[in-house]
Amino acid sequence: VSGTEAVEQAFERIQTRVRAAVPQARIPGVQVQEMVQGGIEVLCGITRQAPFGPVLTLGWGGTQVELLQDSRVVLAPFTHERIGRQLDRTKVAALIAGFRGAAPKDRETLVDLLVRLTDVFTAYGDRIEALEINPIAVLDDGHGVRVLDALLIPKAPPDPHRHDDSETHPTGAPA
């Protein structure tokens, strides 16, 4: 939809349909976001992998991720240069650079985003199990990137009833 009036009308249609289908449902509001068109879709996934610690996976995103299997892994420390170098080793890098005369995409903003996401993951590593953003739309150079879908998996709280054999008693004896 385009424009304030169209958004308000769409919201009213949603409210009407929901009330008809589920009368007891409460909709306190909706989130309105920009419709992103164009760009190149890129994947970013961050997990913790023993013994390496945080690991960033990046590459072609969207529906192409399974089809083209074009991804790279980056180990910590996560720097602009390291992430950029691995991105440049993917096939999607050619599209970001402006393959066959197409407009180049905003590579620098993409790499900046990836660095910042790894910073957040590292800073809150005791609370985050995994973070996946797929896709990230990389727009024309100078127009930035847009996160189109994201999944954050929090770490499960420790189970107070679980006893790990590796734990020791304060005296040094096994617990």
Side-chain angles (χ1 to χ4, degrees), residues 8-86:
E8 290 171 353
Q9 290 171 356
F11 178 67
E12 287 303 319
R13 284 194 305 274
I14 291 169
Q15 291 265 16
T16 301
R17 288 179 184 161
V18 169
R19 277 193 293 272
V22 186
Q24 70 276 17
R26 293 175 192 242
I27 303 175
V30 295
Q31 183 176 21
V32 178
Q33 297 179 331
E34 127 187 62
M35 178 69 171
V36 176
Q37 296 180 349
I40 303 297
E41 294 185 347
V42 174
L43 159 81
C44 162
I46 311 170
T47 58
R48 191 167 313 283
Q49 301 290 327
F52 305 108
V55 174
L56 167 68
T57 302
L58 57 86
W60 205 303
T63 57
Q64 292 84 9
V65 68
E66 294 98 9
L67 178 66
L68 300 174
Q69 298 180 358
D70 178 38
S71 63
R72 301 294 294 184
V73 172
V74 184
L75 303 177
F78 302 111
T79 65
H80 194 277
E81 294 74 26
R82 287 180 64 144
I83 291 173
R85 194 167 42 248
Q86 291 304 319

Side-chain angles (χ1 to χ4, degrees), residues 71-162:
S71 63
R72 301 294 294 184
V73 172
V74 184
L75 303 177
F78 302 111
T79 65
H80 194 277
E81 294 74 26
R82 287 180 64 144
I83 291 173
R85 194 167 42 248
Q86 291 304 319
L87 176 63
D88 290 344
R89 292 180 177 165
T90 64
K91 293 175 187 161
V92 74
L95 294 177
I96 292 170
F99 185 71
R100 296 194 69 166
K105 305 306 176 202
D106 204 334
R107 178 190 179 280
E108 291 309 306
T109 301
L110 172 63
V111 175
D112 288 344
L113 172 66
L114 297 176
V115 169
R116 289 179 180 167
L117 289 170
T118 58
D119 288 347
V120 168
F121 187 88
T122 302
Y124 294 96
D126 60 330
R127 297 180 181 174
I128 302 172
E129 186 69 34
L131 173 63
E132 179 179 312
I133 302 176
N134 185 22
I136 300 167
V138 186
L139 304 178
D140 287 350
D141 198 19
H143 293 275
V145 298
R146 301 294 186 279
V147 171
L148 303 182
D149 196 6
L151 173 66
L152 185 142
I153 301 173
K155 277 192 175 178
D159 182 353
H161 304 291
R162 183 173 179 265

